[in-house]
Amino acid sequence: QVQVVESGGGLVQAGGSLRLSCAASGRTSSTYGMGWFRQAPGKEREFVAAISWASESTYYANSVKGRFTISRDKAKNTVYLQMNSLKREDTAVYYCACKTVGGNFYDEIRYGYWGQGTQVTVSS
């Protein structure tokens, strides 16, 4: 079992920055990496970013490329999502999830452990 806990959400003005944290505990050695997803009101959950444990390769949705950065603190078993130049359309509940199935990092079906989500609200 793996436990995943997000933190760091909040209210920020457009153009501002926020950093989300995701702490993983338990049997993380059996997982492939960590990803961030988000769900805006009335929309389906979508992929945001992910990082591979083995290669430390990173993956981003086109909508956040160049603005968001995913990183990892191996010693703390924590993944961060640094979000810069935030836009109103970034408003969503952000979920962190642990990847438990091999293959691409973009499909949420490959993630078996999810956090409770943290709200990010970007105001104009």
Side-chain angles (χ1 to χ4, degrees):
Q1 282 283 2
V2 175
Q3 293 76 44
V4 177
V5 179
E6 309 100 333
S7 61
L11 174 64
V12 64
Q13 284 194 329
S17 298
L18 270 179
R19 188 177 81 158
L20 305 182
S21 300
C22 176
S25 60
R27 298 183 64 179
T28 57
S29 58
S30 62
T31 61
Y32 293 87
M34 198 80 85
W36 286 96
F37 292 78
R38 67 186 181 186
Q39 187 167 22
K43 294 189 176 181
E44 291 188 355
R45 190 157 57 188
E46 63 176 3
F47 170 81
V48 176
I51 185 165
S52 162
W53 294 152
S55 66
E56 303 224 356
S57 296
T58 56
Y59 308 86
Y60 297 95
N62 286 335
S63 58
V64 306
K65 210 171 283 186
R67 300 188 298 123
F68 291 10
T69 302
I70 189 169
S71 62
R72 173 194 186 190
D73 184 329
K74 202 171 178 179
K76 296 182 179 178
N77 241 11
T78 299
V79 170
Y80 303 98
L81 185 68
Q82 178 66 43
M83 305 185 294
N84 298 330
S85 302
L86 282 161
K87 305 175 181 180
R88 286 193 66 185
E89 51 263 44
D90 294 317
T91 295
V93 176
Y94 283 70
Y95 298 90
C96 181
C98 218
K99 188 171 180 289
T100 53
V101 177
N104 79 72
F105 279 76
Y106 301 94
D107 297 334
E108 67 171 77
I109 198 170
R110 300 179 188 275
Y111 293 78
Y113 299 104
W114 292 78
Q116 78 287 355
T118 185
Q119 177 71 46
V120 171
T121 303
V122 184
S123 64
S124 58

